[in-house]
Structure formats: C-alpha cells, structure tokens
Amino acid sequence: MSAALQWIVNAAPPPGDALSHPFDLGQLPGSIAQAIWRGDNLAQAGQSVVASGFAALDAQLPGGGWPSNALTEFLQPQPALCEWRLLSPALARLACSGGQILLVGPPKRPHAPGLVQLGITEKSIVWIAADTPAERLWSTEQLVKANPRGGAILAWLPQARAEQLRRLQVHAQSCDCPVFLFRPEAAQLDASPAPLRVLTTLGPDWTLHVHILKRKGALLDGPVVLHSLPGTLASVLTPRLLRPSLLIAKTEAANDHALGRAADRRRLRQLAAH
C-alpha cells in the first residue's frame, strides 16, 4: 500500500461516525485533495479547454469550455443544422490563432463565403471527403493520433459503434485540440464513452437549445438557451424579424378571430333557415 493511500486509510473516521462527521478534504495533502472529485460538483477540467463564446454555456461546461484531450459528442435532429451556429465562435478563435479546422465527411460541401462571414477563413479549413463509414472512422482516428495542436477536429460519424468511439476516446486523451463527433439525436439512447455529450436543437427567435446529456458533474435540468443570431443577419433584419415568434402569434390570433367570425355567420344562416 502506498504512503498516500495509507494516510487516507488512517485519516478516515470510524464507520459509525461517517454520516454524522462528513470527511473533510482539507485534511488531505493538497495534491491528493485536488485529485478528488465529488459527483455532485461540476468538475474543473485539469486539461485545457476552448471557450465556447457563450458565457451561459461555458458556465455549465466542466472547466468553462469545450475540452481538449477528450471527445465531445454533438447530437442533433439532422446533420448540418446546428453545428456551425454553436461552434463557430470557438472555431473562429482557433482559426484566427493559426489553427486548422479539420472536417471529416461533412454531409454538405462547406460553404466558404459563409464560413468567412463567421470568421473562419478558407485557408484554415481542411476538408477530408471520406464517403464510407469506414473511411470516416479511419480518417478521424489518424487525425486524432496526429494531434494537430491549435486547431479542432470535426467528424460526422452517424454509424459509429460504442467500441469504435471508445478507441477514439483513448486516442483523444493524448490530443491537445477539441474533437467533436456529430451523431444523430437517436444516439442519445446508446451508451457512449465521450465525457461530454450535448443535444442541440433550434429554438424560437434565433435561439439554440443546448441539452447537456452527460458531463462530469451533476445532471442539468432543462436546456441552456443561447441567442445565436449570425452577425451577418443582425445588420439586415428588422426589429420585427428579430422576434418572428411574435409575428407568428399575431398571425395565428388574427386567423383564429377570422375563423370565429365565419363560424358565427354560418350559425346565423342556419338559425335563419329554420
């Protein structure tokens, strides 16, 4: 038994007093106390993280951002729906610092002018057109092993199995950049070795609803709602179009009122006929 473990055993209170006298981490040496994590606390990641660009989201992510040295599993109802709106602030920061954004098997051709508007230049994008599931998985694994520092790896792996993800997670622990895996919403029912799993859906009025399904910390009730209006649209949308839900509600109310008047007229005609 190591000296540190023997110290913990000797410092632990008797079993009968465990509930009445909770163990105080302050009794442990500093290095040991820092290595202990309680399951009801949000972990402070020891490895580096990349700020997401959304303060409300960073407050709920272990370490305050997207982790390096680990997989982040990104689930959504359909591919190419939410990933750029959620990840572009972090990816733009990496690209501006000279990092490369590596794309493996994206479902749609990257739209270079749109990415430039998000702050991601063409020179920072590397698109790997891997068509089959085996090619996408192999390419992702090779990139993670290569450890492209300063950038990010984005891979669309809708058909990856748990054992394949586990192997990627083992390699990602030695990778110093964020690794994002994009999978369908239905995959949330499957077990995954990824330490961080998020489900992102579109919300009303240019919002994103981010459900943190798995993190190193307590479960989060409800989604994190993020305002994610692209900067290119902010200058052209009118104030009314910034809140489309209000326009829809007014239109529906007007239609309901008109339908009500039509129903009243029909009832009056029926009464007159009698």
Side-chain angles (χ1 to χ4, degrees):
M1 181 180 298
S2 66
L5 184 57
Q6 183 64 52
W7 196 95
I8 295 175
V9 171
N10 294 337
D17 297 338
L19 296 179
S20 58
H21 299 87
F23 184 73
D24 183 10
L25 290 179
Q27 300 177 13
L28 297 176
S31 59
I32 298 178
Q34 292 178 1
I36 294 178
W37 166 72
R38 294 182 181 273
D40 58 347
N41 294 332
L42 185 62
Q44 298 299 316
Q47 69 272 19
S48 62
V49 298
V50 177
S52 70
F54 300 95
L57 180 58
D58 286 341
Q60 301 299 335
L61 295 177
W66 301 118
S68 301
N69 310 114
L71 299 180
T72 296
E73 195 172 359
F74 191 112
L75 311 179
Q76 56 184 335
Q78 66 183 58
L81 183 66
C82 303
E83 53 262 60
W84 292 111
R85 288 178 60 182
L86 181 60
L87 298 181
S88 60
L91 298 180
R93 189 176 298 107
L94 293 173
C96 290
S97 300
Q100 289 187 323
I101 310 303
L102 308 173
L103 312 179
V104 180
K108 296 182 180 180
R109 183 186 183 90
H111 186 249
L115 293 178
V116 170
Q117 293 295 328
L118 295 175
I120 305 172
T121 61
E122 298 179 18
K123 293 182 180 180
S124 62
I125 291 291
V126 177
W127 173 26
I128 301 174
D131 297 327
T132 66
E135 290 174 343
R136 288 194 293 268
L137 182 65
W138 183 85
S139 300
T140 303
E141 185 171 336
Q142 300 310 306
L143 290 176
V144 174
K145 288 181 179 179
N147 190 14
R149 294 181 177 86
I153 300 173
L154 285 68
W156 284 259
L157 302 176
Q159 299 169 323
R161 300 190 302 272
E163 62 271 18
Q164 296 169 335
L165 297 178
R166 190 173 299 109
R167 187 169 65 249
L168 285 177
Q169 168 60 19
V170 171
H171 294 311
Q173 293 175 358
S174 301
C175 185
D176 297 322
C177 74
V179 180
F180 299 98
L181 305 184
F182 303 102
R183 307 191 65 214
E185 181 180 8
Q188 65 180 301
L189 302 178
D190 301 332
S192 172
L196 179 61
R197 305 183 81 193
V198 298
L199 168 64
T200 306
T201 58
L202 296 177
D205 299 333
W206 305 99
T207 61
L208 292 176
H209 289 189
V210 182
H211 304 258
I212 301 180
L213 304 178
K214 180 183 177 183
R215 64 176 179 174
K216 195 173 183 180
L219 293 177
L220 181 63
D221 294 331
V224 180
V225 180
L226 306 176
H227 186 70
S228 64
L229 176 66
T232 53
L233 293 179
S235 59
V236 298
L237 292 181
T238 64
R240 297 180 64 188
L241 292 179
L242 291 175
R243 298 291 303 276
S245 62
L246 297 180
L247 294 177
I248 295 174
K250 290 180 180 178
T251 302
E252 291 178 347
N255 291 339
D256 292 343
H257 187 58
L259 291 173
R261 290 200 303 268
D264 291 340
R265 287 196 294 270
R266 284 196 297 271
R267 284 195 294 270
L268 291 175
R269 285 196 295 269
Q270 291 173 355
L271 291 173
H274 290 289

